[in-house]
Amino acid sequence: MPHSSWLKAAGAAFAVALATATAAHAAPAPAPAPAPELTAATSVAAVVTLRYDDSRAGGWEAAIAAGVASWNRNVSNVRLVEAAPGTRAEIQIVATSGWPQATLGPVRPGGQVRVELGSQAVSQGYDKTRIAAHEMGHSLGLPDTKPGPCSQLMSGSAAGTSCTNAVPNATERSRVESAYAGGLASLVPADGRTLVDAP
């Protein structure tokens, strides 16, 4: 083998050996980066489930169901569900002969508030579904906004007997969403005051 060919072959063998040795002692490749954590903007909001018991609200069942459906359609991070018989409910709903009234929330899961659906308001011409939705609004932390227009659910009796609106407006929805934002950790205990909804 000519001297120049021998040098080329030896050089190539040395380069291969050097590359192999370098690779054997090289630092391992970095592990792939973990998936980025979900931020508040990208995560799905935690839904707080509140149970209600209307077993002592005879004659109001349809109005309660419609009021609950209105809240469930209009807020996304709190869900109202009927309590199974014999289980504890956060919202106790009873029918009374007086004016509607309710404990001011926001009620926490495991806590308890009371809603009284009074027939005195019905006898004076107020809409049962609006009354039920309004009183549930108190349980979710909304005070009265009297005086106020019919478009404000929490204006209650101030809107007059012709008002049948049972849908919370944008401000009311936002306040409930804010009260239950972040799931259970952010909830403060219910206010505890009883709000009577007489005119």
Side-chain angles (χ1 to χ4, degrees):
M1 169 182 281
H3 185 58
S4 62
S5 296
W6 182 85
L7 284 176
K8 283 183 186 176
F14 178 74
V16 170
L18 182 60
T20 303
T22 302
H25 296 295
E37 291 185 22
L38 292 177
T39 64
T42 59
S43 65
V44 176
V47 176
V48 175
T49 299
L50 299 172
R51 294 161 298 177
Y52 67 90
D53 176 3
D54 64 354
S55 61
R56 294 183 294 151
W60 286 85
E61 294 88 352
I64 293 166
V68 164
S70 178
W71 279 109
N72 285 343
R73 278 192 308 271
N74 286 284
V75 293
S76 61
N77 61 356
V78 61
R79 184 72 41 217
L80 302 172
V81 298
E82 189 169 5
T87 62
R88 190 174 190 280
E90 287 81 15
I91 304 170
Q92 293 289 324
I93 307 173
V94 297
T96 70
S97 59
W99 279 98
Q101 57 186 287
T103 311
L104 181 59
V107 63
R108 291 171 175 249
Q112 197 162 70
V113 294
R114 181 177 170 92
V115 167
E116 295 184 11
L117 300 176
S119 62
Q120 192 169 349
V122 178
S123 68
Q124 293 201 13
Y126 291 97
D127 181 73
K128 288 178 91 170
T129 299
R130 178 172 167 84
I131 293 168
H134 174 93
E135 300 306 327
M136 296 295 273
H138 287 321
S139 298
L140 298 175
L142 297 178
D144 288 311
T145 54
K146 297 177 179 180
C150 182
S151 59
Q152 290 178 347
L153 176 61
M154 300 315 294
S155 68
S157 59
T161 56
S162 63
C163 178
T164 60
N165 172 43
V167 178
N169 68 17
T171 300
E172 293 163 335
R173 293 191 300 266
S174 177
R175 288 186 68 180
V176 170
E177 293 273 357
S178 179
Y180 290 90
L184 306 181
S186 68
L187 290 180
V188 296
D191 180 286
R193 289 179 289 157
T194 298
L195 303 179
V196 180
D197 290 303

